[in-house]
Amino acid sequence: MNRTALALLCSLALASPVFAQAKPATPQTQPPPAKAKWVAPVKGLVTIDVVRTPPKKVGNDMVTVLKVKNTSDGAIALLRVDEYWYNDKREMVSADTERVKKPIMPGEIVEITTKSPVKPGLYQNTYNFSHANGQVKATVVKKFSDK
């Protein structure tokens, strides 16, 4: 027997016990993902609770953070917030519009940040809420209830 054949025979003899010790891989099945719960969007009037933080000047913008909780029975589609800044003569001097693109589920809380350019004479701001399917009744609260 030549040396090459002998080396091959020895390596096969030694390799088979090593492979025999390896356990075959058991396929692990994962549970299917939970299905997303569909909540139909409300058409018409929706209700929300709003927690406002005081506006702060950041660079050349007045930044206001609003936390909004959906208190309606259905989802709110495409919530829109318009912030208007007025001077002391009640003339509008600055504004911003922000939108929440994903539906807001009942009881869900989202954070919306508005950034209005700083202009001379900013005195007071107001907000106007609307959504894709109607009007919004907003209630300003200090903190959200557990309901």
Side-chain angles (χ1 to χ4, degrees):
M1 209 185 252
N2 70 23
R3 290 183 185 203
T4 307
L6 186 60
L8 181 62
L9 185 61
C10 287
S11 65
L12 287 174
L14 293 175
S16 64
V18 171
F19 288 121
Q21 292 176 0
K23 295 182 180 178
T26 58
Q28 294 186 4
T29 59
Q30 297 200 3
K35 292 191 176 199
K37 185 178 177 186
W38 170 255
V39 177
V42 176
K43 299 196 184 298
L45 183 68
V46 297
T47 58
I48 59 172
D49 285 346
V50 179
V51 175
R52 297 189 296 189
T53 60
K56 294 180 184 176
K57 184 178 178 196
V58 178
N60 292 330
D61 293 325
M62 287 299 284
V63 177
T64 307
V65 177
L66 303 170
K67 291 187 179 182
V68 176
K69 180 178 182 180
N70 179 1
T71 57
S72 298
D73 292 334
I76 299 174
L78 299 173
L79 181 68
R80 175 180 163 163
V81 180
D82 298 311
E83 178 184 40
Y84 302 105
W85 280 91
Y86 298 92
N87 62 14
D88 57 353
K89 297 176 187 170
R90 298 295 296 162
E91 299 167 337
M92 189 176 73
V93 292
S94 187
D96 185 30
T97 298
E98 295 296 325
R99 292 173 179 84
V100 178
K101 295 180 180 158
K102 70 175 195 76
I104 304 170
M105 296 297 141
E108 183 179 1
I109 298 171
V110 295
E111 189 173 284
I112 303 168
T113 303
T114 61
K115 297 177 183 175
S116 299
V118 173
K119 303 274 175 97
L122 289 183
Y123 178 70
Q124 187 176 11
N125 64 339
T126 61
Y127 306 98
N128 184 28
F129 294 91
S130 61
H131 70 102
N133 298 317
Q135 298 177 337
V136 176
K137 179 183 176 191
T139 304
V140 177
V141 296
K142 299 265 187 216
K143 66 178 188 171
F144 296 122
S145 65
D146 293 335
K147 291 183 182 180

PDB file of all heavy atoms in Angstrom, residues 41-45 75 77 131-135:
ATOM      1  N   PRO A  41     -60.448  53.478  11.920  1.00  0.00           N
ATOM      2  CA  PRO A  41     -60.326  54.896  12.237  1.00  0.00           C
ATOM      3  C   PRO A  41     -61.697  55.533  12.437  1.00  0.00           C
ATOM      4  O   PRO A  41     -62.677  55.169  11.792  1.00  0.00           O
ATOM      5  CB  PRO A  41     -59.614  55.494  11.036  1.00  0.00           C
ATOM      6  CG  PRO A  41     -59.526  54.443  10.008  1.00  0.00           C
ATOM      7  CD  PRO A  41     -59.959  53.151  10.592  1.00  0.00           C
ATOM      8  N   VAL A  42     -61.728  56.487  13.334  1.00  0.00           N
ATOM      9  CA  VAL A  42     -62.969  57.198  13.634  1.00  0.00           C
ATOM     10  C   VAL A  42     -63.257  58.188  12.513  1.00  0.00           C
ATOM     11  O   VAL A  42     -62.355  58.877  12.030  1.00  0.00           O
ATOM     12  CB  VAL A  42     -62.853  57.952  14.982  1.00  0.00           C
ATOM     13  CG1 VAL A  42     -64.102  58.778  15.251  1.00  0.00           C
ATOM     14  CG2 VAL A  42     -62.594  56.981  16.112  1.00  0.00           C
ATOM     15  N   LYS A  43     -64.485  58.244  12.101  1.00  0.00           N
ATOM     16  CA  LYS A  43     -64.927  59.248  11.120  1.00  0.00           C
ATOM     17  C   LYS A  43     -65.780  60.260  11.875  1.00  0.00           C
ATOM     18  O   LYS A  43     -66.705  59.898  12.577  1.00  0.00           O
ATOM     19  CB  LYS A  43     -65.710  58.592  10.001  1.00  0.00           C
ATOM     20  CG  LYS A  43     -64.879  57.579   9.237  1.00  0.00           C
ATOM     21  CD  LYS A  43     -65.504  57.224   7.925  1.00  0.00           C
ATOM     22  CE  LYS A  43     -64.771  56.154   7.190  1.00  0.00           C
ATOM     23  NZ  LYS A  43     -63.424  56.439   6.815  1.00  0.00           N
ATOM     24  N   GLY A  44     -65.416  61.520  11.745  1.00  0.00           N
ATOM     25  CA  GLY A  44     -66.135  62.568  12.469  1.00  0.00           C
ATOM     26  C   GLY A  44     -65.313  63.071  13.645  1.00  0.00           C
ATOM     27  O   GLY A  44     -64.093  63.130  13.597  1.00  0.00           O
ATOM     28  N   LEU A  45     -66.003  63.395  14.731  1.00  0.00           N
ATOM     29  CA  LEU A  45     -65.375  63.997  15.902  1.00  0.00           C
ATOM     30  C   LEU A  45     -64.617  62.964  16.723  1.00  0.00           C
ATOM     31  O   LEU A  45     -65.142  61.900  17.032  1.00  0.00           O
ATOM     32  CB  LEU A  45     -66.443  64.668  16.779  1.00  0.00           C
ATOM     33  CG  LEU A  45     -65.942  65.405  18.005  1.00  0.00           C
ATOM     34  CD1 LEU A  45     -65.138  66.642  17.610  1.00  0.00           C
ATOM     35  CD2 LEU A  45     -67.096  65.792  18.902  1.00  0.00           C
ATOM     36  N   ALA A  75     -59.250  54.431  16.203  1.00  0.00           N
ATOM     37  CA  ALA A  75     -57.964  55.016  15.843  1.00  0.00           C
ATOM     38  C   ALA A  75     -58.160  56.398  15.225  1.00  0.00           C
ATOM     39  O   ALA A  75     -59.194  56.684  14.625  1.00  0.00           O
ATOM     40  CB  ALA A  75     -57.235  54.104  14.861  1.00  0.00           C
ATOM     41  N   ALA A  77     -56.659  58.789  12.410  1.00  0.00           N
ATOM     42  CA  ALA A  77     -55.818  58.736  11.219  1.00  0.00           C
ATOM     43  C   ALA A  77     -55.324  60.133  10.864  1.00  0.00           C
ATOM     44  O   ALA A  77     -56.109  61.075  10.781  1.00  0.00           O
ATOM     45  CB  ALA A  77     -56.599  58.148  10.050  1.00  0.00           C
ATOM     46  N   HIS A 131     -57.937  65.932  11.941  1.00  0.00           N
ATOM     47  CA  HIS A 131     -57.497  64.622  11.463  1.00  0.00           C
ATOM     48  C   HIS A 131     -58.115  64.350  10.110  1.00  0.00           C
ATOM     49  O   HIS A 131     -58.930  65.141   9.614  1.00  0.00           O
ATOM     50  CB  HIS A 131     -57.802  63.512  12.483  1.00  0.00           C
ATOM     51  CG  HIS A 131     -59.244  63.173  12.652  1.00  0.00           C
ATOM     52  ND1 HIS A 131     -59.811  62.067  12.091  1.00  0.00           N
ATOM     53  CD2 HIS A 131     -60.241  63.798  13.319  1.00  0.00           C
ATOM     54  CE1 HIS A 131     -61.098  62.010  12.411  1.00  0.00           C
ATOM     55  NE2 HIS A 131     -61.378  63.058  13.157  1.00  0.00           N
ATOM     56  N   ALA A 132     -57.725  63.244   9.493  1.00  0.00           N
ATOM     57  CA  ALA A 132     -58.116  62.957   8.114  1.00  0.00           C
ATOM     58  C   ALA A 132     -59.619  62.826   7.932  1.00  0.00           C
ATOM     59  O   ALA A 132     -60.138  63.089   6.851  1.00  0.00           O
ATOM     60  CB  ALA A 132     -57.431  61.680   7.633  1.00  0.00           C
ATOM     61  N   ASN A 133     -60.338  62.423   8.984  1.00  0.00           N
ATOM     62  CA  ASN A 133     -61.763  62.133   8.835  1.00  0.00           C
ATOM     63  C   ASN A 133     -62.677  63.068   9.614  1.00  0.00           C
ATOM     64  O   ASN A 133     -63.819  62.727   9.860  1.00  0.00           O
ATOM     65  CB  ASN A 133     -62.029  60.677   9.261  1.00  0.00           C
ATOM     66  CG  ASN A 133     -61.281  59.701   8.394  1.00  0.00           C
ATOM     67  OD1 ASN A 133     -61.236  59.839   7.189  1.00  0.00           O
ATOM     68  ND2 ASN A 133     -60.656  58.712   9.011  1.00  0.00           N
ATOM     69  N   GLY A 134     -62.182  64.221  10.039  1.00  0.00           N
ATOM     70  CA  GLY A 134     -63.078  65.132  10.742  1.00  0.00           C
ATOM     71  C   GLY A 134     -62.382  66.048  11.725  1.00  0.00           C
ATOM     72  O   GLY A 134     -61.217  66.399  11.574  1.00  0.00           O
ATOM     73  N   GLN A 135     -63.131  66.395  12.768  1.00  0.00           N
ATOM     74  CA  GLN A 135     -62.671  67.370  13.746  1.00  0.00           C
ATOM     75  C   GLN A 135     -62.135  66.680  14.994  1.00  0.00           C
ATOM     76  O   GLN A 135     -62.386  65.500  15.226  1.00  0.00           O
ATOM     77  CB  GLN A 135     -63.820  68.293  14.139  1.00  0.00           C
ATOM     78  CG  GLN A 135     -64.361  69.112  12.990  1.00  0.00           C
ATOM     79  CD  GLN A 135     -65.543  69.953  13.414  1.00  0.00           C
ATOM     80  OE1 GLN A 135     -66.210  69.650  14.391  1.00  0.00           O
ATOM     81  NE2 GLN A 135     -65.807  71.015  12.671  1.00  0.00           N
TER      82      GLN A 135
END
